[in-house]
Amino acid sequence: VCGPPLKRNNEAMATPLQEDSQAGTLVRGSLTYFPVIPGRIEFAWRIRRYILEHQPAVIAVELPGSLEKQYIEAVDRLPQMSVLVILDQDDDEKAIYIPVEPSDAFVEAVRCARETGAQIVFLEPATHERPHLPDIYPEPYAVEFIGMERYVEAYRVYPAARTPKLDAHAAAMAWKLQGADPFAKTLVVVSLNLLDPLLDAMETPQEPPPAPRTRLGGEAEVYNLHPDCLAEVTSEPPYYQARYERIRDF
């Protein structure tokens, strides 16, 4: 004997949360801090929505100032994807590779700034000695269901351990940010794991950071990424990148 047909319980199924574009941001005077997870579409599209709705005059991003020219060149080539190649000055067979992809929130912020005419400020110092930051976050897709406010709050309750190198890096970024237009409406796009160190560093005037022993980006060049290698180097699968590219203007 067959039982009654199973019914799909729509009420029990999770549905994406609708929220304001400012959800998860922190406002300090003319500065609006928008914490993100690098390389994730969930944060890239939120950055785009915020910029298009609020039209900040200045967009500050957590990217090295010494690579500004190369990043802008790569961003202007999108949707064709590029990679920044930074040669090792001591070893010709070594290099740093940085893919520039549509799903990255920092890339999206620079891209939107180019489209809206906002001033772009690259916050990171020009050094290879960037402190190692744990990139362990709560499942990024969860932000679609619990919202930015709860997601950011959950991370900030149990942040990564602070180190002197991390605080010095945040101080160097704060110095650059403090030199921007203090009266302009500014969006600061920063990794979630650097949010609180940067907020703390902004509480006091900062001195210019010491000159790096090795300048990052001195030999950097922009190369086209071959489609066959995209799956090996991108943060998100190429299919998702293409889907995001198609819907970002809607």
Side-chain angles (χ1 to χ4, degrees), residues 149-211:
E149 295 285 355
R150 291 179 61 192
Y151 189 91
V152 172
E153 179 183 356
Y155 181 86
R156 297 182 74 196
V157 171
Y158 301 103
R162 301 276 283 268
T163 65
K165 287 186 177 180
L166 173 59
D167 290 337
H169 189 75
M173 291 174 56
W175 172 77
K176 188 68 176 288
L177 189 56
Q178 289 169 353
D181 187 341
F183 303 107
K185 184 168 66 172
T186 301
L187 175 66
V188 184
V189 186
V190 59
S191 298
L192 190 49
N193 57 14
L194 258 175
L195 173 63
D196 284 306
L198 179 59
L199 289 173
D200 291 344
M202 286 294 292
E203 292 297 319
T204 57
Q206 299 294 335
E207 296 293 329

Side-chain angles (χ1 to χ4, degrees), residues 190-238:
V190 59
S191 298
L192 190 49
N193 57 14
L194 258 175
L195 173 63
D196 284 306
L198 179 59
L199 289 173
D200 291 344
M202 286 294 292
E203 292 297 319
T204 57
Q206 299 294 335
E207 296 293 329
R213 291 181 295 177
T214 305
R215 181 177 175 81
L216 178 66
E219 301 295 331
E221 295 189 26
V222 181
Y223 290 93
N224 185 59
L225 274 173
H226 192 282
D228 291 346
C229 73
L230 293 180
E232 299 180 14
V233 301
T234 57
S235 301
E236 295 274 24

Side-chain angles (χ1 to χ4, degrees), residues 123-140:
L123 293 177
E124 287 196 302
T127 176
H128 285 272
E129 301 167 3
R130 190 182 194 278
H132 175 73
L133 299 175
D135 56 356
I136 300 174
Y137 299 101
E139 168 54 47

